[in-house]
Structures are given as C-alpha cells and as structure tokens.
Amino acid sequence: MGIPGLTSFINRNSTQYFENVQLKDTLIIIDGYALTNFLYRSYENQTSAFGGDYDIIAKVYIDFINLLTRCNVIPIFVFDGAYEQRKMETIMSRMSQRIKSYSQPIKSAECMPMFGSDVIFDILNDMDIPHVNCDFEADAEIVALAKLLNCPVISRDSDFYINTVPYIPLDKIILDLDPNVKVINCQVYRVEKLLNEFGGLNIDYLPLVAALLGNDYIRQDTFCSLLRLNQGCFNCGLKLKRITEWLRKQQNIRSAIVNMTYNLSRNRDYIENQINNIIKDYKNKNSKYLSFILQYKKMSTYQDQLRHLTSNEKSILPPWLEYNYRKGTINAEVMTIITLKKVFFKVQIEDYEKYPYYEISFKIVEKIIGLLFGKGDSIPSLGRKNGLNIGQFKIKRYITNPYVPLADLNKSELKYRKNIILNLVGIKVIDGVPKEWELFFLILIYWAVHSNNIKSKLMHALIVCAITLNVIKKIEIDPKNKKTEDITDNSVISENIAKVNKEDCIKAMSVLSNYFQIGQYSNKYLYYKIIHPFAQFQSCVYFFMILNSLLDFPFDQCRIENFYKGSFLYNLCVQMENSEPEIFVSHKLFEKTDSLNNVYKSIINLMNELLPVPKKRSGTHSSTSNCSKPKGKTEKKLK
C-alpha cells in the first residue's frame, strides 16, 4: 500500500523524525520486493532497455546479503503474495500507467524486467537466509514479525510511517557494498516523533490516522469534508494537523469510526470494513508464517521462546506445494491464479505495434491452469491487448490424460511429469544435454518454433549467451567451476564443456567483453525487431518455470541469471544483423578457441536434430506469431 504525499512530507522534515544509527548485531525484517526494486533501480546501469542483465543484479543481491552478514545482521525477507480483489482498481491503474510509460521512448531505469525481483529467491535458498512468500500483501506480517522479534523494518512503503515499529526507509541507508565495510550507517524513524509534532495522540488511534489519510483501499478524498479540506488536497502536513485535532476530540476508537462514516453518502459499509481491517492488522502481534521462518538455522536461538506463538492456520495449497511456495520456488503468480481465477500478464518493453509478447505463452498457461483447476470454464487473463489498451483474453484449461489432481502431482511418476513438458514442446526426449541446461533447451525449442526463430540470429545469440555465462565467465574466474567430476551424463556437449580450458576463456572474453558495453539504440526498427522476440522468450521462460515448479521440478529449474543478459544479447544481434550467424560465432567470437567452438558446434548440432525444418512465413496470424498487428483492428477497452 501507500499514502500519497506522506514520504515527501516526512523527508522535508527528516531532521525532526529520524535519528542516526549504525545497523549491526540485530535481526531485521526486510520488505522483499521493496528491496529488490530499490536495488535494481540503483544498480541496473541502463540495462533495462534490453530486457535485464540478471547476472549483474544477482551479484548485487548477493553483495547486499554479504554486507548484512559481515555486520552480524540477520535478515528476514518477507514477500508479497497474490493480488487481492480489493486492490483491483489500483492493479489495473498501475498496469495502464506502465503500458503508457513503456511504450514511450525508453527510460530504462523505470522498466522492471520480467525476472528483476525473482532472481533473489534462488540466492536466498542457496545462502539459507530466512524468507517467506506470503499468501497476500506482506505489510501486516512484516509489522507482526517486527513486534514479535523486537527489531526494525526496512522498506520503502509510506504505510510504515504510520506504525509503531522502528522503520528504516531504503533511501536512508548509506549502501556501501565494499567487502571491507562492517557496519551499515542509516537513519531510523519512530512515529512518536511525528505525533508529538502535531500535539500528541494516543498511539491506539494510529490505524484511524492511516484510514483518514487514505491508501490503496480508501480514496484520499473520502474524508475531506470531515476534516474541512478541499477535494484533492495533497498537503500532508495540513491533513495530519486536522486529523490529530479531530481524533483528540473523540471519546474512543469505536465512536470515532461511527463519526467518520456517519455522513458518507456512498460505500459506507465498504469504508467501515476497510477501517476495521486496518485496525485488525495494527493489533495483530502474531505472524501465521512464524513457524516456517523459525525452521531456518539462523533462527535457532528464537525457536524455544517463540514456538508457542506459531499458527496452525491451514493453507489453501497442498502441503508439498505450500512448502515450495513459502520458499519462493513457486512463483506468487500461482497464488494469484488460484485465489482470483485470473492471470495478469506483466507489462514489459516490447513492440507495441505487434501482438502482445505473451501470446506465445498461451499454450503453456493452458497447461498451468489445467494442473491447478482440472476441468471447467476458461480463465480470464488481463494485459495489453491492442495498442495501448488493456484487454481480456480467455484461456482454456488443458487437461492432461490421465489427469492427476494438484495435491498428488508430486507423487506421480517422474516420466509422467517430464512428458507433460516434452509433449508441450513437441519432442519425445531431451538427451545429450547437461541437466542444468535441459529446461533452457526445451524453452529455446518452444520459443524458436512458435516465434518463427528457427535458425535465426537471435537463437544463436541465446546459445552464445548461455555458453558465456555458464562456461566462459565461470572458468575464466575459477577453472574448478567446470566440476568435471560431477558430470554424470556422457553427452557430447558435457564432454566438450569438460575440455574447455582457461586460456580459451580468457581469449574469448577479450572479444566478448566488447559486447557487454551499454550502447545506443538509435535505429528504432532494429531495436524493436530484436527486443520483441526476446520479450517473447522471457515470457516462455517465465511460464515454463512455473509449469516445471507445479510438476515438482521434473527438470532442474532454469537459473535466468545464467542464461539471459539482455544488453549482451542485443549487441550480439546488432553485430550479426548482416552476417551468417554460425560463421560470425565461429570465426569472430570464438576464433582460435577450439574448445569453445566445439561446445558451440555440439549445441548447434543437437538443436538441428531437435528443431523441425523452418517453414516459410505465411501472412496468416496465429496467436503466437511474430507478425505485425493488422491495421484497423480494434478491441474493446476494458472498463
């Protein structure tokens, strides 16, 4: 949530409300997505225009966690879950704003790519850092955990300014990721200082302060007449002055609520219900996710003293799925689909004169919906449909034969679960590929076929990117990263990777590093020609990863930071525009590096065996084609 204008007001008076502290030797609750958004925008270095450089942001997340560890700070990351029906107006408004923003000449720092936040979950699991995916919005759970553990909160949400827990806004942290730094200088906010500024107020009235200010659930102008304010007043200082004056005159909270809602001409019951929800969240001192968080080794000293407070509330997810969801290996998209029976497609940079980038993924989403719900009606999905308009699609449920209920999917045979993905891709078997590459190969095949990119320069660029991130960069830094002793498959690709030497990697990187630079994209036609199919590829990765997780990982999950680097891919494609891709890769990128050329050629040979012969493009549009949008076609704008 958020309270418009409050952050700006607080910052203008920061010397009154903040105190300097050094963060060390403490627990801290971190608003997960607030942190990832903040770090991404701080360090993305203008790469968002190309779909995201996930290797860079993954390193930033690791460096941040290492900084906390050096300062003996134990973080607990708490992440938002599903969208909520009561926030639908806000969700649609933000989607519309992003569509308008992303369709304009690109402002890269404002464009959060598909996996900008998601890459942190694998890192947290690798490092065994306490974290949890909530069912819905995380604010109330963040506050409850902070109260239980008597520690501060880190976020960027203005709602925390109207709460009793110590609050450290992200922009009040002096962020130095240098490995020698062992203390974090920051500023902490306490609400008592704000209330004293306006003559003081009983802390129990704080929920009503939040309601009277307005948020995502209560319009900001709802109580303007009550507070003697002009409609559309965004002067937070004046609003807080009137609010505290008015509340000090009230006998108690219950009578204050009656007086707040008495003269409301419309939505009175809704407003009263929202006020009661805010009060309930403020009073809550127990987290229903505490038992999950206490399982982490870093929380062992708190297990005995807090075990009696753990909740027995049951999840709507089957136990095996809930565990994976809490860890973040099941995307929060799944919870949204289950609870709202809707799919929300992310707004991304794409060619807005073509059909939406995510149409290529409809067949994958059909499988996901079939696994989640079984037989039934189509599921509505929302996203950009025509030009800049938001529209609705109907996606049917694909039922696998034999059908296995969601609760029992993890118990079904591995071959059955693998075949669901293999049949979707259109192949019978995926042999000859390192295990951690299998899902990438399957996605690459599906994308190439459905976007008419068989044999394309873009496909070769994706293969070079995978070799660069998985082989060259790792071996260049540490030759032991090959882990040849762990290679159990006897594939030609694995054998060739095992033969790669550090000298060849150093030679290759001296050439490849030229493509890591962030360049200009003055040729808009070429820019969208490259960016749109890569947006389609990321959509395929996103939904295949969800499908793979719902099947309890029959294939190793795809680590996107090891396979996709947007600026690198874009630069490669620009340089290959007028070249034969295989010649360009073998004679320019991997020249005189035989061991890398052998890896590349063995991948190309396998792809040639798996991919069908490319068909000539037809003028007929299919839902997953890469062709331009028919002129004159109009869609009804979603109300």
Side-chain angles (χ1 to χ4, degrees), residues 76 80 103 190 233 263 351 526 569 592:
I76 300 170
D80 290 323
S103 65
R190 299 182 192 278
C233 174
N263 288 321
D351 189 340
L526 182 59
L569 287 164
K592 297 180 181 179

Side-chain angles (χ1 to χ4, degrees), residues 288-480:
K288 65 179 179 179
Y289 309 118
L290 181 63
S291 58
F292 182 83
I293 290 168
L294 290 177
Q295 294 177 28
Y296 287 93
K297 290 179 182 177
K298 288 181 169 61
M299 299 299 295
S300 58
T301 56
Y302 299 89
Q303 288 172 359
D304 290 338
Q305 66 187 75
L306 295 176
R307 198 182 303 278
H308 67 286
L309 295 173
T310 56
S311 170
N312 294 319
E313 184 176 336
K314 289 189 176 181
S315 171
I316 61 171
L317 302 175
W320 74 269
L321 193 62
E322 183 195 4
Y323 179 75
N324 288 335
Y325 175 79
R326 297 281 173 248
K327 290 196 303 178
T329 55
I330 301 284
N331 196 290
E333 184 83 43
V334 170
M335 187 64 84
T336 295
I337 296 172
I338 289 174
T339 55
L340 289 184
K341 289 189 168 54
K342 288 184 178 70
V343 179
F344 293 85
F345 292 109
K346 294 186 178 183
V347 180
Q348 293 291 288
I349 298 174
E350 56 170 324
D351 189 340
Y352 281 73
E353 293 185 0
K354 292 181 179 175
Y355 287 95
Y357 76 92
Y358 46 76
E359 284 196 9
I360 193 173
S361 305
F362 280 0
K363 289 183 179 179
I364 314 169
V365 180
E366 286 175 2
K367 293 264 188 178
I368 292 169
I369 293 170
L371 292 176
L372 291 176
F373 298 115
K375 294 181 180 179
D377 297 332
S378 298
I379 297 293
S381 58
L382 301 167
R384 184 184 76 85
K385 190 165 187 177
N386 174 269
L388 305 185
N389 294 335
I390 297 173
Q392 181 171 287
F393 303 84
K394 290 284 188 180
I395 299 184
K396 63 184 180 182
R397 312 180 191 197
Y398 184 93
I399 309 301
T400 305
N401 186 20
Y403 174 71
V404 177
L406 182 64
D408 301 323
L409 263 176
N410 65 320
K411 301 172 189 172
S412 60
E413 290 185 7
L414 179 62
K415 183 179 179 181
Y416 169 83
R417 289 180 282 128
K418 280 191 171 184
N419 280 340
I420 289 176
I421 292 178
L422 292 172
N423 292 338
L424 179 58
V425 174
I427 63 174
K428 292 183 178 180
V429 67
I430 180 78
D431 285 336
V433 183
K435 282 182 68 64
E436 65 270 22
W437 288 56
E438 286 179 337
L439 192 59
F440 169 73
F441 262 75
L442 292 168
I443 296 166
L444 192 60
I445 294 166
Y446 178 94
W447 166 80
V449 170
H450 289 82
S451 65
N452 294 323
N453 273 294
I454 299 173
K455 311 286 186 183
S456 75
K457 300 172 180 64
L458 283 79
M459 188 188 76
H460 286 265
L462 284 163
I463 291 169
V464 170
C465 186
I467 294 171
T468 302
L469 298 176
N470 282 284
V471 181
I472 298 172
K473 288 190 79 172
K474 292 180 180 179
I475 295 175
E476 183 200 22
I477 296 169
D478 179 9
K480 294 179 182 178

